Amino acid sequence: METIVLGIGETLVRDDRRWSSWADWLGVPPHTLSALVGAAVAQGHDATDALRTLRPGMDVEAAYRARSAAGRGEHLDESDLYQDVRPALGELRAAGVRVVVAGNGSARAGELLRALDLPADLVVTSAEWGVRKPDPEFFARVAEAAEAPPAATLYVGDHPADDLFPAAAAGLRTAHLRRGPYGHWWADHPDVVETAEFRIDALTELVALVRPPGAEAEAAEAEAAGAGAIGPDAEGAGGEGSGEEEAGGEETDAAGAAREGARRGALRSVR
């Protein structure tokens, strides 16, 4: 892997502040808007449809400009980054990988991201390129920015319709990140499982994808040797896995099939 390209929202940046600020602007409780965003995601719609549910016919772009003019525009700081962002990007660059951040966002979002001085070779938004995901032209621009063959370029994102499917269609390698509403809700959908070359739960997992063959085994041997030299009883150390078991009661076969059928149809409607 020569280049790794990452999306922005819910890949690097938490969307908490974004939706909370919209709720404040519209005068509704944050949890109300969050619930509507979740409903839009579950139906395979764009999350901004939640805003139009609250204000039918709303021009989101015009409202965004009005917020900015009122001094209530976008804000982004270190607290908005997921905790694995800096460690993962730093290790990737240390491994000699070109790191590109390219996703949907305003020109202001690009300025704010670059001000954070992320360990990345390029940070750019759709507004700065003049084209948004999932437009094929966006991924053509990604391929140019990668400065590597498509087969050596990995695009990482949470959104199947905006990230995974169009990146794969452009010939890029793909990693689906189980993060944020889209990333979690659609993670086990058959189309996602089939399309994603890699499925990850954290950005730090990307580091293992670019290490030279055998590097992990050598690191493990070195760690084991170090533990042996210290001499503590290591029995019971470490967990048995992520422990991410599904909570809740069992679902009937009919209910499960109906639920999965609805999810499959919703996702395919936005491919």
Side-chain angles (χ1 to χ4, degrees):
M1 213 81 69
E2 297 178 29
T3 300
I4 291 185
V5 186
L6 304 101
I8 299 173
E10 291 300 346
T11 296
L12 303 185
V13 176
R14 299 163 56 103
D15 277 347
D16 309 46
R17 190 194 300 270
R18 174 193 179 193
W19 295 119
S20 183
S21 62
W22 271 114
D24 183 58
W25 177 257
L26 296 173
V28 299
H31 76 272
T32 297
L33 182 53
S34 295
L36 292 172
V37 168
V41 169
Q43 294 173 50
H45 298 163
D46 192 277
T48 55
D49 285 348
L51 301 175
R52 300 183 185 92
T53 299
L54 291 168
R55 299 289 184 273
M58 176 182 180
D59 184 332
V60 177
E61 289 300 319
Y64 170 82
R65 291 192 295 270
R67 282 181 50 195
S68 297
R72 296 166 67 180
E74 288 182 82
H75 180 77
L76 185 65
D77 61 32
E78 192 72 22
S79 67
D80 295 299
L81 296 177
Y82 278 98
Q83 291 185 347
D84 59 356
V85 172
R86 286 194 183 277
L89 271 56
E91 288 190 58
L92 289 172
R93 290 191 81 191
V97 176
R98 177 172 170 80
V99 175
V100 175
V101 174
N104 284 346
S106 65
R108 174 61 175 161
E111 295 172 358
L112 292 169
L113 278 170
R114 286 188 289 273
L116 293 178
D117 194 24
L118 295 172
D121 297 281
L122 175 67
V123 176
V124 64
T125 65
S126 58
E128 293 168 327
W129 272 351
V131 61
R132 289 178 60 83
K133 298 184 296 185
D135 193 307
E137 179 58 28
F138 179 93
F139 289 92
R141 297 293 298 270
V142 165
E144 293 176 6
E147 299 183 2
T153 301
L154 179 72
Y155 193 87
V156 183
D158 65 295
H159 198 305
D162 282 359
D163 299 322
L164 180 61
F165 302 146
L172 304 174
R173 301 177 74 177
T174 57
H176 181 255
L177 175 62
R178 184 170 181 150
R179 174 175 287 173
Y182 285 100
H184 282 286
W185 182 258
W186 298 107
D188 297 320
H189 189 282
D191 290 349
V192 171
V193 174
E194 178 183 359
T195 304
E197 184 173 353
F198 304 103
R199 300 166 66 214
I200 60 176
D201 294 316
L203 296 180
T204 46
E205 294 177 38
L206 295 171
V207 179
L209 304 182
V210 301
R211 284 177 177 164
E216 284 191 50
E218 293 176 6
E221 289 177 7
E223 184 177 349
I230 296 173
D233 183 359
E235 183 178 353
E240 296 182 356
S242 65
E244 292 182 359
E245 297 184 9
E246 291 292 333
E250 295 184 358
E251 189 174 39
T252 66
D253 290 343
R259 182 170 178 267
E260 179 55 38
R263 292 177 66 184
R264 177 186 290 268
L267 182 57
R268 284 181 172 168
S269 71
V270 296
R271 280 192 74 163

